[in-house]
Amino acid sequence: ETGVTQSPTHLIKTRGQQVTLRCSSQSGHNTVSWYQQALGQGPQFIFQYYREEENGRGNFPPRFSGLQFPNYSSELNVNALELDDSALYLCASSLDSGTTDTQYFGPGTRLTVL
Amino acid sequence: AQTVTQSQPEMSVQEAETVTLSCTYDTSESDYYLFWYKQPPSRQMILVIRQEAYKQQNATENRFSVNFQKAAKSFSLKISDSQLGDAAMYFCAYSGYGGSQGNLIFGKGTKLSVKP
């Protein structure tokens, strides 16, 4: 069974640029959630995708957007990057949406915005 | 809005001893889930233990157990026979129940050091 994978591992961008982060969910999982973890903080929920539709969103501006594909992999897109977007971005997959299913996390993508 | 508070930024324990990490939360819901996640320096978040609020029995996973006090909204993690590999950031997390409530709300974490 393949776990959750994310790419790239590290990324450096400059302010104003756009970035795309990728996540492959664990085999059999149809739900992907994205979290932003600033240095020294706990992860904060960005949004969740369930069967290719957004299924809940945290307190993040519209320049944070996402996609989920038919194979349930997912992308997180961030436009007009700001310095405060520097963080570890985690994705987590679960068997189904809702709270009864445990979320399994990927290793994260470290984004640095200069 | 639900919140999760971890009041111990750092903790230290001697190898083979027991340590307890504290977590309190605030919610108006009666049904929910609570979790402890471990994040080693390699950064991959790993589920340690999970507790359903409707279950009175405290969850246990090998050396890890919780003390769930629903009325006090307290959810502490006890690690027995601590091992060097237990050194990590530990996050307490809350999840609502039902529908699209599957997002996790995390505390700020407790950094656990294990001394040989």
Side-chain angles (χ1 to χ4, degrees):
Chain A
E1 184 178 88
T2 306
V4 180
T5 60
Q6 292 185 245
S7 62
T9 304
H10 295 90
L11 203 52
I12 299 175
K13 291 285 188 178
T14 56
R15 195 170 48 181
Q17 284 189 313
Q18 177 265 342
V19 68
T20 298
L21 309 183
R22 294 176 176 84
C23 171
S24 291
S25 58
Q26 189 165 313
S27 177
H29 288 187
N30 61 24
T31 301
V32 172
S33 302
W34 286 92
Y35 294 84
Q36 179 195 66
Q37 186 177 16
L39 200 61
Q41 303 293 318
Q44 283 197 294
F45 175 69
I46 302 174
F47 44 56
Q48 182 184 84
Y49 276 84
Y50 168 65
R51 295 182 183 267
E52 303 180 58
E53 296 287 332
E54 188 177 289
N55 183 47
R57 188 179 182 93
N59 189 25
F60 280 82
R63 60 189 185 84
F64 285 78
S65 63
L67 279 175
Q68 189 178 32
F69 300 99
N71 66 354
Y72 302 131
S73 66
S74 179
E75 286 183 355
L76 164 65
N77 299 290
V78 187
N79 294 321
L81 283 167
E82 301 177 0
L83 297 179
D84 285 348
D85 295 334
S86 295
L88 180 67
Y89 288 84
L90 299 169
C91 83
S93 75
S94 52
L95 195 60
D96 211 339
S97 69
T99 55
T100 57
D101 298 299
T102 297
Q103 295 188 25
Y104 296 90
F105 283 82
T109 294
R110 171 72 66 190
L111 173 64
T112 302
V113 182
L114 302 176
Chain B
Q2 294 84 10
T3 58
V4 175
T5 302
Q6 293 180 250
S7 58
Q8 305 155 316
E10 296 189 25
M11 292 284 284
S12 181
V13 63
Q14 206 72 31
E15 196 175 6
E17 294 190 346
T18 296
V19 65
T20 298
L21 308 184
S22 300
C23 172
T24 57
Y25 59 94
D26 190 28
T27 183
S28 57
E29 299 176 356
S30 57
D31 290 327
Y32 47 87
Y33 290 80
L34 295 165
F35 305 83
W36 279 99
Y37 277 90
K38 168 185 177 182
Q39 189 176 41
S42 65
R43 7 177 252 232
Q44 188 140 12
M45 196 85 75
I46 303 164
L47 178 68
V48 174
I49 200 164
R50 148 184 158 147
Q51 174 80 43
E52 291 88 345
Y54 62 86
K55 290 187 178 179
Q56 293 187 344
Q57 186 173 6
N58 289 324
T60 300
E61 288 287 342
N62 301 314
R63 299 183 294 108
F64 299 87
S65 61
V66 298
N67 183 5
F68 173 48
Q69 300 289 327
K70 192 173 183 180
K73 295 180 182 174
S74 169
F75 183 61
S76 60
L77 174 70
K78 185 171 84 172
I79 306 174
S80 304
D81 185 25
S82 296
Q83 300 175 0
L84 295 177
D86 294 334
M89 284 292 291
Y90 285 81
F91 292 96
C92 178
Y94 167 101
S95 182
Y97 186 83
S100 63
Q101 297 299 312
N103 56 290
L104 294 165
I105 300 168
F106 287 86
K108 290 188 175 183
T110 296
K111 183 178 181 181
L112 178 66
S113 302
V114 180
K115 297 178 181 177

